[in-house]
Amino acid sequence: MSSSQASSLGPLPDERGHFGPYGGRYVPENLMPALEELHAAYLAAQQDPSFHAELEDLLANYAGRPTPLYEAKNLSRELGGGRIFLKREDLTHTGAHKINNALGQVLLAKRMGKKRIIAETGAGQHGVATATVAALMGLECMVYMGTLDMERQALNVTRMRMLGATVEPVTSGSRSLKDATTQAIRDWVTNVKDTHYIIGSVVGPHPYPLLVRTFQSVIGKEARAQLLEREGKLPKAAVACVGAGSNAIGLFHPLLDDPIDLIGVEAAGYGLDSGEHSASLSAGKPGVLHGAYLYLLQDPHGQIIEAYSMAAGLDYPGVGPEHSHLKDIKRVTYATVDDTQAVQAFMDLARLEGIIPALESSHALAHLRELAPRYAKDDIILVCLSGRGDKDVSQVAAYLEKQK
């Protein structure tokens, strides 16, 4: 499972957790021992065959890996251009790629002797995955969630509570993912001795961006092997939505050394010109948030601007430090898609393929309308379908009703 090895782009992150100038550890002094403990546990686990055996067993027999690689022929025909293949992370247990990372981290928590798990969540998929693995391991679980996200993702709130987790409402700030993350960090500072914080994306202080990438890289490794076995060639392009960036890094990292166009799609919300969006890479600048240096949405005084997207999982004002570095060195291209385009893509995949995608994944799908015609009909375009859209059905229905 290790993905910490260097690509041709260099040994990233370095020993201090930096991807170029990004990443690092900007945290209170009392969290440093916990981060060192976590890093040591991670490095030891990477050298321990029993850790890999337990994780691989859970990924195969509990999470349902490998996930299928599905050729979306109807969508390809409608859009024209390349052949579109979907990496079906929506078919994992709990319905999103988040389970890959949650399983890996809960095994680390167990090795460190932690009795309590905390997490933050936006769309609820990471919260559900964390509540699921905590139940599996018999650990106490607390999930922080903004009250705005609790309203628009009520189904996942119910699922977390059924799994035995306490969902703690966060009423500060924009009442979304950023504020839930801040609250989770405060809890961790207070209870660090017996608590492990399962961060859900490739953000936070070192070593979180490294270990989340490692656990999510199973997505790109599987897809790469599946395409070579089935089609005898690699894709010409790989596409994933980018909020904080976990499913995208999971897809991209194993493909960085291949001659493949890598495209991350950010949420433009009401449009970049509106100022109400979550496009940190396309419209932000570097700064520090939640323990790391990365691209952020900021005002001229360096204050964080509240992010907006109708996709709760993309509603975060920063993006992982590795994405920040990949943007600067131009290895990955980052595009934007607004709410209207995402909803159209949501409806298109349901109508054409009988698959209801998460609103987050719909941003990656929406960019295909512009991207696919650029490729020849035999070229393959690989898309990470990061989650299923059950949680978003009522929100999309309300949106469409307003458009009438």
Side-chain angles (χ1 to χ4, degrees):
M1 279 295 298
S2 174
S3 73
S4 58
Q5 69 272 16
S7 73
S8 63
L9 301 178
L12 300 177
D14 64 19
E15 68 279 3
R16 297 186 301 121
H18 288 98
F19 302 84
Y22 302 104
R25 286 176 180 164
Y26 299 85
V27 296
E29 192 65 30
N30 62 338
L31 281 184
M32 292 300 284
L35 292 170
E36 293 289 356
E37 179 190 26
L38 177 59
H39 194 204
Y42 167 78
L43 293 176
Q46 291 302 303
Q47 302 301 317
D48 185 350
S50 69
F51 176 84
H52 293 286
E54 186 173 9
L55 179 56
E56 287 169 11
D57 177 71
L58 287 169
L59 289 172
N61 300 309
Y62 188 73
R65 304 205 73 88
T67 55
L69 186 68
Y70 169 71
E71 182 173 6
K73 294 181 179 177
N74 296 330
L75 181 62
S76 301
R77 193 177 302 115
E78 168 125 334
L79 299 184
R83 299 165 63 194
I84 296 165
F85 284 72
L86 305 178
K87 182 58 175 166
R88 298 290 307 274
E89 293 300 296
D90 59 314
L91 294 182
T92 57
H93 178 45
T94 72
H97 71 293
K98 296 293 188 182
I99 192 71
N100 306 324
N101 169 57
L103 282 170
Q105 286 206 45
V106 82
L107 292 184
L108 293 180
K110 195 171 70 168
R111 292 168 71 96
M112 292 185 290
K114 304 296 184 182
K115 306 298 183 188
R116 180 173 177 265
I117 298 295
I118 60 171
E120 83 299 326
T121 196
Q125 292 302 98
H126 173 57
V128 169
T130 300
T132 297
V133 300
L136 177 67
M137 299 296 172
L139 299 173
E140 179 186 349
C141 182
M142 171 85 78
V143 179
Y144 291 91
M145 190 171 191
T147 51
L148 173 63
D149 290 338
M150 290 180 71
E151 293 168 9
R152 54 185 178 176
Q153 300 294 340
L155 175 62
N156 277 339
V157 174
T158 301
R159 293 171 75 194
M160 285 183 271
R161 288 172 171 159
M162 285 181 171
L163 290 160
T166 299
V167 181
E168 184 66 26
V170 177
T171 58
S172 58
S174 61
R175 302 181 295 128
S176 60
L177 181 57
K178 174 179 72 68
D179 311 290
T181 304
T182 300
Q183 200 60 38
I185 291 174
R186 287 175 181 153
D187 181 316
W188 197 33
V189 169
T190 305
N191 302 291
V192 68
K193 283 189 177 179
D194 70 344
T195 298
H196 175 61
Y197 176 17
I198 299 185
I199 291 183
S201 195
V202 284
V203 293
H206 179 60
Y208 279 105
L210 166 63
L211 63 90
V212 176
R213 180 188 79 189
T214 299
F215 296 135
Q216 292 295 1
S217 289
V218 67
I219 300 170
K221 289 177 181 176
E222 275 184 11
R224 190 179 189 282
Q226 287 169 321
L227 277 172
L228 286 174
E229 180 180 1
R230 180 167 157 183
E231 300 294 326
K233 62 182 180 182
L234 294 173
K236 289 289 186 180
V239 187
C241 65
V242 177
S246 66
N247 92 95
I249 282 293
L251 181 68
F252 294 163
H253 189 74
L255 305 177
L256 286 175
D257 286 342
D258 295 312
I260 296 172
D261 298 333
L262 303 177
I263 300 117
V265 184
E266 297 190 291
Y270 292 122
L272 289 184
D273 293 339
S274 72
E276 295 186 73
H277 57 77
S278 302
S280 307
L281 289 166
S282 302
K285 57 184 180 180
V288 172
L289 178 65
H290 295 144
Y293 185 66
L294 33 71
Y295 269 87
L296 296 173
L297 300 179
Q298 305 173 59
D299 68 16
H301 306 290
Q303 298 298 310
I304 304 299
I305 297 174
E306 301 293 354
Y308 164 76
S309 169
M310 74 178 302
L314 304 182
D315 194 355
Y316 185 72
V319 66
E322 188 165 10
H323 283 291
S324 302
H325 178 62
L326 292 171
K327 167 190 163 67
D328 280 5
I329 65 172
K330 304 185 187 306
R331 177 61 190 96
V332 178
T333 301
Y334 294 90
T336 59
V337 159
D338 64 24
D339 283 354
T340 301
Q341 292 170 298
V343 169
Q344 184 60 56
F346 180 102
M347 298 301 295
D348 286 346
L349 198 69
R351 173 176 57 87
L352 292 167
E353 302 289 352
I355 299 171
I356 297 177
L359 272 173
E360 290 76 18
S361 314
S362 299
H363 285 70
L365 295 166
H367 187 57
L368 295 176
R369 192 164 287 280
E370 175 183 335
L371 184 73
R374 299 178 191 168
Y375 292 88
K377 65 179 182 180
D378 291 332
D379 290 341
I380 292 172
I381 302 170
L382 173 64
V383 183
C384 186
L385 197 65
S386 57
R388 70 187 186 211
D390 310 39
K391 64 186 178 58
D392 299 316
V393 167
S394 59
Q395 189 182 359
V396 171
Y399 177 90
L400 294 173
E401 186 65 28
K402 285 184 180 177
Q403 306 308 306
K404 290 182 178 177

